[in-house]
Amino acid sequence: MAERKPIESWLTDMDGVLIHEGTPIPGAADFIKRLRESGKPFLVLTNNSIYTPRDLQARLARMGLDVPVENIWTSALATAKFLDDQRPGGTAYVIGEAGLTTALHDIGYVLTDHEPDYVVLGETRTYSFEAMTKAVRLINAGARFICTNPDETGPSTEGPLPATGAVAALITKATGKQPYFAGKPNPLMMRTGLNAIGAHSETSAMIGDRMDTDVLAGLEAGMQTFLVLTGLTSEQDTEKFPYRPTKTVPSIADLVDLV
């Protein structure tokens, strides 16, 4: 078996790896500090499309995690990059928050409910029946269906919330049309992120807390993968999957010395 090349760039998930319910995970600040001191390219990723990178930078800074805006990569940015490559200067009907609408505005998209090229579904805490009905009718009329990510639930202090994947299933049931998911585990999100920082998959690593999104996306993009046990996946859970991470560690603190 060919020996792995040294890791020259790092991609890491945010929730469950660096933070948990608004609190930094021990070792996260040290890991980010070591990355910044090393000068190695890195990205903090999230499938959540609610926030802009600037929003997330401020949120992380309040927790003591100093991550520059250009080192944050969201499913909203990956979706916008995909649409810009596919149909530059297009139109979209959007269900989502500022993270998604800003990303689409920044690539020159017009947001409209009049014969849009795409219906783009992202994360929001206020999914409305009216908006979903409009999405169904536009897709039935010929709009292409895009989703930022397939996550079916999202975390909250009260418990799981229905997320983009669950609402996408509702729209699919009503239209018979499957969406294209731009976020993890689609390796497209990883490849566009790597391109954004000028990194290569064979010398990159992905850190995540989920086997079905983080590890799978890293694996399919050709990267080394590290699973941390501070999020959704337990060590026992890993045995249920037909693929494995390169290495499983208790937390991000165990990876500081690898940078």
Side-chain angles (χ1 to χ4, degrees):
M1 191 172 174
E3 189 175 336
R4 283 278 191 175
K5 294 182 179 179
I7 299 169
E8 298 296 339
S9 52
W10 292 84
L11 276 63
T12 176
D13 187 39
M14 188 169 68
D15 293 302
V17 178
L18 300 177
I19 62 174
H20 180 70
E21 292 184 359
T23 304
I25 289 170
D30 293 334
F31 183 78
I32 296 296
K33 183 170 182 284
R34 182 71 65 89
L35 275 176
R36 298 199 65 187
E37 289 172 350
S38 74
K40 291 179 179 177
F42 75 95
L43 282 178
V44 172
L45 291 92
T46 177
N47 254 2
N48 190 318
S49 63
I50 289 178
Y51 305 104
T52 66
R54 194 178 301 280
D55 295 334
L56 291 171
Q57 180 197 34
R59 183 181 170 207
L60 291 169
R62 285 195 299 271
M63 299 181 212
L65 302 179
D66 188 12
V67 182
V69 169
E70 60 269 22
N71 294 100
I72 296 172
W73 192 247
T74 71
S75 64
L77 294 176
T79 300
K81 179 73 175 73
F82 170 75
L83 293 178
D84 195 30
D85 289 342
Q86 291 284 309
R87 190 178 288 259
T91 59
Y93 175 68
V94 178
I95 299 175
E97 301 283 348
L100 182 55
T101 56
T102 301
L104 292 175
H105 274 303
D106 287 349
I107 61 163
Y109 257 56
V110 173
L111 307 189
T112 179
D113 61 0
H114 179 68
E115 299 181 357
D117 298 318
Y118 298 97
V119 166
V120 183
L121 175 66
E123 208 77 57
T124 173
R125 294 290 160 82
T126 55
Y127 288 112
S128 83
F129 187 76
E130 182 184 357
M132 287 186 276
T133 300
K134 185 165 284 188
V136 166
R137 291 173 181 167
L138 291 171
I139 291 166
N140 282 336
R144 300 149 189 87
F145 187 18
I146 304 289
C147 284
T148 55
N149 68 84
D151 298 35
E152 292 162 356
T153 60
S156 80
T157 50
E158 293 82 25
L161 295 169
T164 312
V167 178
L170 182 154
I171 295 172
T172 292
K173 200 73 174 174
T175 61
K177 301 284 173 54
Q178 294 284 345
Y180 181 78
F181 293 105
K184 298 176 293 178
N186 188 344
L188 179 81
M189 181 170 175
M190 321 302 272
R191 293 197 183 107
T192 52
L194 289 171
N195 289 341
I197 57 172
H200 301 283
S201 58
E202 67 264 24
T203 55
S204 299
M206 174 66 196
I207 309 165
D209 69 310
R210 291 183 63 147
M211 288 288 288
D212 56 346
T213 55
D214 305 320
V215 171
L216 181 59
L219 179 74
E220 292 189 345
M223 294 187 282
Q224 294 187 54
T225 55
F226 292 89
L227 177 72
V228 296
L229 303 176
T230 47
L232 289 173
T233 306
S234 69
E235 195 156 18
Q236 292 73 33
D237 288 338
T238 62
E239 298 300 326
K240 300 173 187 173
F241 294 86
Y243 49 88
R244 299 184 65 79
T246 308
K247 191 173 183 182
T248 301
V249 295
S251 80
I252 192 76
D254 299 279
L255 299 175
V256 175
D257 289 340
L258 293 185
V259 177

